[in-house]
Amino acid sequence: MRIDILSAVPGLLEGPFSDSIVKRAKEKGLVEIVVHNIRDWSTDKHKKIDDEPFGGSAGMVLTIQPIADAIAALKSERTYAEVIFLTPDGEQLKQGAVNHLSMQGNLILLCGHYKGIDQRIREHLVTREFSIGDYVLSGGELAAAVLTDAIVRLIPGVIGDEQSALTDSFQDNLLAPPVYTRPAEYNGWKVPEILRSGDHKAINEWLEEQAVERTQDLRPDLFEKDS
Ligand code: 6GU
């Protein structure tokens, strides 16, 4: 799988993919992540990529040409399953959509900036739009990093223990149960006895109960949703 990220501020994306699970996935050849500077495609003599909005509201708008040419150049090299625009007015990102995207082909992620991008890019070139929550970020880069991380960890072979991604919070609309490690007692704080019983059937029942209880307490809304 290849993920191409188009950004006006590519420096923001230097960190998130160079450590931990995403780094390992790249090293294993399971994913290729390429960050592009939209400016590289600008045909303007000053490499301009934005302009004032028609109608005269505040802020600058990313122009069509560099973005359209960047997408065309990428599409001439390989096929893409989706062109995704990260925007606060997009569909709220949920695990269900992430699962789906992790099984598609290559992806283009387009990061907005300034006041936004020319609406015609969204109408004619973008196939899906996601927001990562009801708050405003300075640009789509951090959201693109969130989406990329969430997708990459689901690619088969990326996480060593195959079970691990399936037991994440949200995978069955339940929050994950609590986890503990050694020591069994610290400062008088004890690990629940059941986890040390060796009775795997009882342990699994307890974990399931904990997941349901935690979800009921912390995120009861998850019981009413199917993605
Ligand atoms: Cl995808 N972009 C921006 N700029 N802000 C956001 C967002 C995306 N998701 C939540 N806030």
Side-chain angles (χ1 to χ4, degrees):
M1 179 181 206
R2 175 166 158 142
I3 302 177
D4 287 274
I5 307 180
L6 301 177
S7 165
V9 201
L12 277 175
L13 291 165
E14 276 167 18
F17 310 131
S18 54
D19 229 314
S20 186
I21 287 175
V22 178
K23 178 189 184 189
R24 266 216 318 277
K26 289 197 297 184
E27 287 170 352
K28 285 189 192 167
L30 296 170
V31 67
E32 192 178 353
I33 301 169
V34 185
V35 179
H36 307 271
N37 190 340
I38 292 168
R39 203 172 296 277
D40 294 343
W41 274 280
S42 175
T43 55
D44 176 76
K45 61 177 181 294
H46 301 114
K47 296 275 174 207
K48 204 170 143 68
I49 55 168
D50 59 357
D51 210 333
E52 292 160 4
F54 278 116
S57 46
M60 298 293 270
V61 175
L62 292 177
T63 57
I64 301 178
Q65 179 273 317
I67 292 171
D69 284 358
I71 292 172
L74 291 171
K75 283 182 174 172
S76 75
E77 295 288 328
R78 64 194 69 75
T79 58
Y80 288 90
E82 306 282 1
V83 177
I84 297 172
F85 178 47
L86 286 312
T87 177
D89 58 0
E91 171 189 344
Q92 185 151 156
L93 185 64
K94 299 278 173 58
Q95 190 64 48
V98 175
N99 293 350
H100 178 76
L101 291 171
S102 75
M103 295 182 286
Q104 304 297 297
N106 304 319
L107 301 172
I108 293 174
L109 308 187
L110 173 60
C111 306
H113 238 268
Y114 311 102
K115 264 289 146 201
I117 64 173
D118 192 300
Q119 184 65 21
R120 291 166 289 180
I121 298 169
R122 301 173 69 167
E123 281 168 16
H124 299 286
L125 298 173
V126 167
T127 59
R128 298 196 73 171
E129 302 189 328
F130 287 108
S131 160
I132 62 163
D134 290 342
Y135 41 81
V136 178
L137 303 168
S138 320
E141 284 75 13
L142 297 181
V146 166
L147 176 58
T148 300
D149 184 287
I151 289 171
V152 168
R153 60 193 300 287
L154 296 180
I155 297 172
V158 169
I159 291 186
D161 172 18
E162 289 300 331
Q163 271 294 93
S164 182
L166 290 174
T167 56
D168 288 340
S169 280
F170 300 113
Q171 277 301 8
D172 41 15
N173 276 357
L174 288 175
L175 299 183
V179 294
Y180 300 86
T181 186
R182 281 184 280 273
E185 183 172 345
Y186 180 91
N187 221 9
W189 308 335
K190 291 194 177 117
V191 169
E193 210 52 55
I194 178 99
L195 294 177
R196 306 180 59 217
S197 67
D199 180 345
H200 292 290
K201 186 165 172 284
I203 290 173
N204 283 335
E205 280 168 10
W206 184 84
L207 291 172
E208 178 74 20
E209 260 168 45
Q210 288 289 312
V212 171
E213 228 169 81
R214 280 170 56 77
T215 308
Q216 190 60 256
D217 289 349
L218 302 171
R219 292 293 307 277
D221 57 296
L222 290 178
F223 288 127
E224 284 127 47
K225 290 182 188 162
D226 55 2
S227 70

